[in-house]
Amino acid sequence: MAPITVHTPPVLQLRDVHKHFGDVHVLKGINLEIFPSQVVCLIGPSGSGKSTLLRCINFLEEYDCGEVLIFGERIGYSTSYDGRRVPMPKEHIRVMRRDLGMVFQHFNLWPHMTAVENVSEAVRSVKKKNITEALRISRDMLAKVGLADMENRYPAQLSGGQQQRVAIARALAMEPRIMLFDEPTSSLDPELVGDVLDVMQSLAGEGMTMIVVTHEMGFAAGVADLIVFMEDGRILEQGTPDRIFHNAENRRVRAFLQSYGRREKNAGKAHTATNSHNKGVCNEPTDHHSGAAGSRGCPQKRTAHQNHQHARHAGRRYLGL
């Protein structure tokens, strides 16, 4: 990330943002500034408002009061001639959203379209590119996420991790300036998580501004510039990974991370015991949807698994586990 100075304007500002679902107060006065090329990870227990906050940023959810400013412009609302806040025209919201790419927990791919068609559809319909240019952009993005040889596969022929990488390629094809990730690995099998995290880490290395809702603490510790801990619709604490993971001031934050540490240590012991029991035995199923690559079997599967384990171990070492 480029150094932040007093002259660096934030790309995203949240000012006293509130959100209700009926009588439930989901966001309670969120204040946050995010700067160019920052990677911000939102962590905390489930139900704390992290995903709702992400959806308010691109106005998929209408926030009740406060402001969300994208490159200095408020999204979702305009100011009338007499100073009242009024809904922004939908076309203006769509234009502002072009700066924001979003990847959801679930892939939301069109099942009747191939990978390259899924990526190119929005490029053609929203950016109005001709089919030749749209396919070129889409193929470039699929190559970027490591799926150049999968462009003609349908979603049912791809693993969950591959489908999520197609979803990332689809978002990147729109050339966003900020990427939003809403627990992108939460619905994946553990062995498929590593490839998705590798793509996200690569984007961070290229300087993409990213806001990530995640429970992958190793990823957050190793990649984030800023950790934001949320609970009950509020930000309890924010700071660098070193501060949050090693010197958090808030008692609840410390308790949450200690609980996470105990779970990880227990999981590590169970994993070690399983590996010892199965040493030298390969039980990985063949990927029957991989066509010519369908016989790749264990060696390539183990490589993906090792990638994920490397990321986990790096995070665990950072967290002292």
Side-chain angles (χ1 to χ4, degrees):
M1 184 186 73
I4 297 173
T5 71
V6 293
H7 303 294
T8 304
V11 297
L12 173 65
Q13 295 169 282
L14 295 99
R15 298 175 177 171
D16 196 28
V17 174
H18 290 257
K19 172 66 181 175
H20 291 78
F21 288 118
D23 294 331
V24 181
H25 198 174
V26 181
L27 297 177
K28 303 173 181 177
I30 300 296
N31 291 284
L32 184 64
E33 288 190 337
I34 296 172
F35 292 87
S37 299
Q38 258 194 328
V39 178
V40 178
C41 284
L42 306 181
I43 67 171
S46 298
S48 58
K50 303 184 299 295
S51 294
T52 300
L53 179 59
L54 217 59
R55 293 173 66 86
C56 285
I57 289 173
N58 64 3
F59 212 65
L60 289 176
E61 293 287 353
E62 298 182 12
Y63 51 95
D64 300 326
C65 62
E67 291 185 316
V68 176
L69 304 178
I70 311 295
F71 297 101
E73 183 177 2
R74 182 169 58 185
I75 189 171
Y77 300 100
S78 304
T79 302
S80 67
Y81 69 94
D82 58 355
R84 292 182 297 110
R85 190 176 81 163
V86 296
M88 176 180 285
K90 291 182 179 179
E91 178 57 33
H92 196 167
I93 294 173
R94 284 194 288 269
V95 170
M96 291 192 68
R97 281 182 181 148
R98 293 178 187 175
D99 283 329
L100 305 170
M102 186 157 184
V103 178
F104 300 87
Q105 296 179 31
H106 303 290
F107 326 122
N108 299 320
L109 301 180
W110 295 104
H112 62 289
M113 292 183 179
T114 62
V116 72
E117 290 169 342
N118 265 283
V119 176
S120 65
E121 177 64 21
V123 180
R124 294 175 60 190
S125 60
V126 177
K127 302 199 76 175
K128 307 301 181 184
K129 300 290 186 181
N130 63 50
I131 187 168
T132 301
E133 180 67 5
L135 288 175
R136 183 194 65 77
I137 293 171
S138 300
R139 289 181 175 125
D140 286 348
M141 293 304 102
L142 286 172
K144 189 181 187 72
V145 300
L147 295 176
D149 58 342
M150 303 281 184
E151 67 171 72
N152 292 318
R153 305 273 176 85
Y154 289 92
Q157 297 173 308
L158 300 171
S159 70
Q162 289 166 343
Q163 290 184 61
Q164 189 62 294
R165 282 188 280 159
V166 172
I168 294 173
R170 178 178 59 190
L172 292 174
M174 302 303 291
E175 299 180 307
R177 299 163 72 184
I178 301 172
M179 283 289 292
L180 312 176
F181 293 89
D182 186 9
E183 296 191 51
T185 61
S186 64
S187 62
L188 301 180
D189 292 335
E191 290 186 343
L192 303 177
V193 169
D195 288 339
V196 175
L197 295 182
D198 285 346
V199 170
M200 295 170 63
Q201 187 164 359
S202 176
L203 290 175
E206 294 172 4
M208 175 65 75
T209 305
M210 297 165 54
I211 308 166
V212 186
V213 173
T214 185
H215 292 288
E216 292 283 343
M217 298 299 170
F219 173 83
V223 178
D225 301 297
L226 180 69
I227 304 290
V228 177
F229 185 95
M230 290 184 63
E231 185 172 57
D232 192 30
R234 295 183 173 91
I235 294 176
L236 296 191
E237 190 166 355
Q238 59 179 292
T240 64
D242 186 63
R243 173 186 160 184
I244 297 299
F245 288 120
H246 296 314
N247 195 30
E249 297 177 359
N250 186 280
R251 181 181 301 177
R252 171 61 183 132
V253 176
R254 293 198 302 271
F256 177 89
L257 294 173
Q258 288 167 1
S259 175
Y260 167 80
R262 287 193 296 270
R263 291 196 305 272
E264 285 296 286
K265 286 180 179 178
N266 290 336
K269 291 177 182 177
H271 180 75
T272 300
T274 301
N275 278 354
S276 177
H277 178 72
N278 294 328
K279 187 176 182 180
V281 179
C282 180
N283 293 318
E284 296 291 345
T286 300
D287 186 347
H288 297 293
H289 292 308
S290 296
S295 59
R296 65 186 179 177
C298 297
Q300 195 162 340
K301 283 276 190 174
R302 282 199 302 270
T303 300
H305 181 62
Q306 288 168 351
N307 285 341
H308 175 52
Q309 288 300 100
H310 176 75
R312 281 177 60 89
H313 289 329
R316 285 168 62 86
R317 285 195 299 272
Y318 183 89
L319 300 174
L321 300 175

